[in-house]
Amino acid sequence: MGLSFFAYSSLINSITSLVLGCFILFRNHKSAINKSFAYFAFSISGWAFFYFLWLSAKDSVAALFFIRIVMAGAITIPLSFIYFITLLLSVNKFFLNRINFFFASIFIIFSFSPLYISGVEQRSIFPFWPIPGFLFHIMLLQFFLNIVYAHILLLRAIGKSSGIRRNQLKYIFLGTLSGFIGGSTNFFLWYKIPIPPYLNFLVSFYVLSVAYSIVRYRLMDIRLALTRVSIFVVVYTFVLGIPFALGVWCRPVLLWIAG
């Protein structure tokens, strides 16, 4: 697989997350749960979009600039995810969310310094793979602690739930777990483990899973009157059709931005 596979799969991740986040936010912009999920989806969308630009960069200066934005976005993903989960489950984790915000603020302040990413170099097929700084290791630890804890909360809630609520939580759990497993394959090369991020495309799986839960089980009180055929058309259009079309039509502009 060449760089184009990783680049355009990331672009698809970005667009699908953006579409889902906007949809949920516009359906009920006053709902704290909907807003928190939208923040989570927008964090993934921004991370994935600059991931595409990073892989499209033609020199080390541009690549370092974009990968630092990529990893600044990665800082907000676990923060927004755990916030969404605690609201969804009505779990009071005020102190946890404040601690996360505090550390995320520190990481973002130093995200463009060598303390976070010290440079880029050739690793595997990637000509400008990032080299971690000291703060990156701390961020990664916080990242996984939050993701694991959030899914433990979901598992506990699934065990205590039944009916529609159980199914809603089940699809969130399966979708986000698959997405995070896929996204986590990016971290092997940071530590010179020769495993490229082949599963990065699974990030979009959480979009499919959450979208299905919305249509089938009215997740976040979103009610849609769709037939099976129209559901297929919507999923195909947003997950395959629109990303492909934008990738083709907007490719010259995106590559120009990437330098």
Side-chain angles (χ1 to χ4, degrees):
M1 294 182 183
L3 287 179
S4 59
F5 167 79
F6 298 103
Y8 284 101
S9 63
S10 189
L11 183 60
I12 291 175
N13 290 339
S14 176
I15 296 171
T16 52
S17 292
L18 179 63
V19 170
L20 181 63
C22 289
F23 172 77
I24 288 179
L25 186 62
F26 292 154
R27 291 296 294 185
N28 187 356
H29 67 277
K30 295 182 180 180
S31 168
I33 294 177
N34 289 38
K35 287 191 290 187
S36 66
F37 181 86
Y39 299 153
F40 169 59
F42 294 155
S43 295
I44 293 179
S45 179
W47 167 81
F49 178 71
F50 284 100
Y51 191 106
F52 167 79
L53 294 182
W54 161 58
L55 289 179
S56 303
K58 302 302 181 183
D59 59 77
S60 60
V61 175
L64 180 59
F65 174 76
F66 286 126
I67 193 58
R68 281 174 167 166
I69 299 179
V70 169
M71 298 314 296
I75 294 168
T76 66
I77 291 175
L79 177 73
S80 56
F81 181 62
I82 193 73
Y83 181 60
F84 162 66
I85 294 301
T86 55
L87 284 179
L88 180 69
L89 302 180
S90 299
V91 177
N92 185 6
K93 296 295 180 181
F94 178 85
F95 182 73
L96 172 62
N97 287 322
R98 290 298 179 273
I99 288 292
N100 278 330
F101 182 80
F102 171 76
F103 278 104
S105 299
I106 294 176
F107 296 147
I108 288 176
I109 289 173
F110 291 99
S111 60
F112 273 75
S113 77
L115 291 174
Y116 191 53
I117 297 175
S118 61
V120 292
E121 66 180 12
Q122 175 82 38
R123 291 191 185 179
S124 184
I125 65 171
F126 301 92
F128 308 118
W129 194 268
I131 304 169
F134 171 74
L135 285 179
F136 175 84
H137 308 304
I138 302 175
M139 185 283 296
L140 189 60
L141 176 62
Q142 186 208 24
F143 183 97
F144 280 108
L145 287 176
N146 275 283
I147 299 310
V148 170
Y149 182 59
H151 283 91
I152 289 174
L153 291 178
L154 277 172
L155 269 180
R156 290 175 179 173
I158 291 171
K160 296 177 182 179
S161 303
S162 61
I164 291 178
R165 176 65 170 174
R166 179 183 177 87
N167 286 316
Q168 289 175 342
L169 298 179
K170 180 176 68 176
Y171 280 101
I172 290 177
F173 177 85
L174 292 175
T176 56
L177 182 63
S178 299
F180 278 117
I181 289 175
S184 295
T185 59
N186 283 283
F187 295 122
F188 288 112
L189 281 178
W190 285 79
Y191 294 98
K192 298 185 179 181
I193 301 172
I195 302 177
Y198 290 124
L199 299 182
N200 204 37
F201 70 93
L202 287 179
V203 171
S204 285
F205 187 76
Y206 93 93
V207 176
L208 295 176
S209 188
V210 170
Y212 180 80
S213 187
I214 288 172
V215 173
R216 183 69 176 82
Y217 300 110
R218 302 188 301 278
L219 177 64
M220 289 179 269
D221 293 324
I222 296 176
R223 292 173 172 81
L224 296 176
L226 298 176
T227 65
R228 291 184 179 180
V229 174
S230 59
I231 291 172
F232 173 80
V233 171
V234 170
V235 170
Y236 179 84
T237 300
F238 283 111
V239 177
L240 296 177
I242 289 179
F244 177 78
L246 289 178
V248 173
W249 298 338
C250 299
R251 183 181 180 184
V253 175
L254 294 172
L255 293 178
W256 176 78
I257 294 174

